[in-house]
Amino acid sequence: MNPNCRKRMGAIRLETMKVVVQDEIAPAIYELVLEGEMVEAMRAGQFLHLRVPDDAHLLRRPISISSIDKFKKQCHLIYRIEGSGTAIFSTLKAGDSLDVMGPQGNGFDLSELDQRSRVLLVGGGIGVPPLLEVAKQLHECEVEITTVLGFATKDAVILEDELARYSKVFVTTDDGSYGIKGNVSVVIKELDTEFDAIYSCGAPGMMKYINQTFYDHPRAYLSLESRMACGMGACYACVLKVPDSETVSQRVCEDGPVFKTGTVVL
Ligand SMILES: Cc1cc2nc3c(=O)[nH]c(=O)nc-3n(C[C@H](O)[C@H](O)[C@H](O)COP(=O)(O)OP(=O)(O)OC[C@H]3O[C@@H](n4cnc5c(N)ncnc54)[C@H](O)[C@@H]3O)c2cc1C
Ligand code: FES
């Protein structure tokens, strides 16, 4: 059994990590490889809170950990340029350093799965990256994995080949320019498998669909995004409501970003 399947929270820390390499893997989408001691504590589904190396940007930017190599002390992040912070990240080059807080958040619970388990991964757009480490670790546990990926168009497709090393992959595009035309629901409706666990990350519409479709499933998980400030549970900028409660809330940065379906209001 891969020991990563059973670990829970890692320690939160600050570190200056080294940029090993940065590549543009699709239009405006970059893969950044960072090296440092923090990698030892990382788990699938956690994120890093990155300081933008520019004094005009006070808030850090949260980016999910896409894959982890503890032997090399390296982790891979994949991000899309959205605004000025991510545009500055895209200028980083090998040898530069980056101020990193993390690993943050709870990560995916991959425990209690083994070679008899069947797992569904559902990813959309720039939400696909954190599922790569999930697939890698579950594959080491000999879990049977089906992956359904949804993208806007052919140019935006990422990580299909990497995920295909560990799982059977279906790709959909909204405009039909690659794979199956439509969104992930077109494929999921046709799957006649009872899955032991579902792990998902994607745009709000996709997360609502997964939340509704697998609302009562005992092991269906959503990795959610929210605008963040502190990224460590102190400021309550990132809260979500809990069903049937006006007073209880969940912080995406500290209680998430991974939530069981049916436990937060989307
Ligand atoms: C837990 C988590 C994991 C994420 N993982 C990834 C990832 O792996 N790859 C990726 O491309 N993007 C990811 N994002 C989204 C990413 O954080 C934003 O795209 C980024 O912060 C935008 O910063 P900016 O300065 O370029 O854009 P701006 O729009 O200029 O950002 C302005 C402010 O809004 C915040 N913000 C903007 N969009 C988002 C958003 N969608 N979510 C949270 N805060 C936002 C920024 O942090 C910043 O404080 C993740 C977000 C969260 C919450
Ligand atoms: S961002 Fe401050 S509590 Fe989540």
Side-chain angles (χ1 to χ4, degrees):
M1 172 73 71
N2 178 339
N4 288 319
C5 302
R6 295 199 179 278
K7 280 188 192 165
R8 288 209 171 260
M9 291 285 284
I12 292 175
R13 56 180 115 180
L14 280 171
E15 186 178 334
T16 303
M17 297 185 80
K18 190 176 100 186
V19 174
V20 179
V21 65
Q22 165 137 269
D23 284 322
E24 188 171 9
I25 59 169
I29 298 179
Y30 289 78
E31 179 167 26
L32 178 65
V33 183
L34 298 176
E35 188 172 298
E37 297 302 321
M38 186 186 291
V39 174
E40 182 54 39
M42 292 180 185
R43 297 189 308 110
Q46 291 185 300
F47 67 94
L48 301 182
H49 215 23
L50 308 176
R51 184 176 177 280
V52 181
D54 172 276
D55 288 342
H57 293 76
L58 296 179
L59 296 176
R60 290 170 180 270
R61 281 13 182 198
I63 301 289
S64 303
I65 299 164
S66 175
S67 69
I68 304 166
D69 184 335
K70 294 201 175 181
F71 182 72
K72 291 185 179 170
K73 296 186 179 173
Q74 292 178 356
C75 65
H76 294 232
L77 313 181
I78 294 177
Y79 64 92
R80 185 172 59 205
I81 294 184
E82 291 294 337
S84 57
T86 43
I88 291 172
F89 292 148
S90 73
T91 65
L92 291 167
K93 297 194 172 41
D96 289 347
S97 51
L98 192 60
D99 179 333
V100 179
M101 186 168 94
Q104 303 296 92
N106 54 0
F108 288 111
D109 178 1
L110 305 181
S111 62
E112 294 169 26
L113 296 167
D114 58 27
Q115 67 272 19
R116 288 161 306 190
S117 310
R118 290 188 287 191
V119 162
L120 175 64
L121 306 183
V122 187
I126 203 65
V128 173
L131 299 178
L132 181 58
E133 184 62 26
V134 174
K136 212 171 83 183
Q137 294 189 18
L138 293 180
H139 181 73
E140 285 172 22
C141 300
E142 298 179 41
V143 170
E144 184 185 312
I145 308 168
T146 303
T147 302
V148 185
L149 305 177
F151 300 96
T153 186
K154 183 180 180 183
D155 279 353
V157 175
I158 52 169
L159 299 180
E160 179 188 8
D161 294 344
E162 290 81 353
L163 283 157
R165 285 187 211 135
Y166 311 117
S167 63
K168 180 173 184 186
V169 177
F170 298 89
V171 177
T172 67
T173 50
D174 296 340
D175 63 4
S177 54
Y178 186 76
I180 299 154
K181 187 174 184 341
N183 61 32
V184 293
S185 70
V186 174
V187 176
I188 292 171
K189 279 177 195 152
E190 297 298 318
L191 297 173
D192 59 356
T193 308
E194 284 288 315
F195 291 103
D196 298 290
I198 296 117
Y199 300 96
S200 65
C201 185
M206 178 187 285
M207 293 298 89
K208 275 189 185 166
Y209 165 73
I210 298 294
N211 191 42
Q212 279 161 11
T213 308
F214 299 104
Y215 198 84
D216 295 320
H217 193 291
R219 292 182 59 94
Y221 300 95
L222 316 158
S223 179
L224 301 176
E225 283 191 16
S226 164
R227 295 248 162 185
M228 288 185 182
C230 74
M232 53 185 287
C235 73
Y236 284 73
C238 62
V239 292
L240 293 173
K241 286 188 173 168
V242 167
D244 305 322
S245 172
E246 285 303 312
T247 51
V248 182
S249 59
Q250 294 278 292
R251 296 159 299 178
V252 174
C253 66
E254 185 75 4
D255 306 311
V258 178
F259 295 95
K260 232 177 73 45
T261 51
T263 64
V264 284
V265 177
L266 298 182

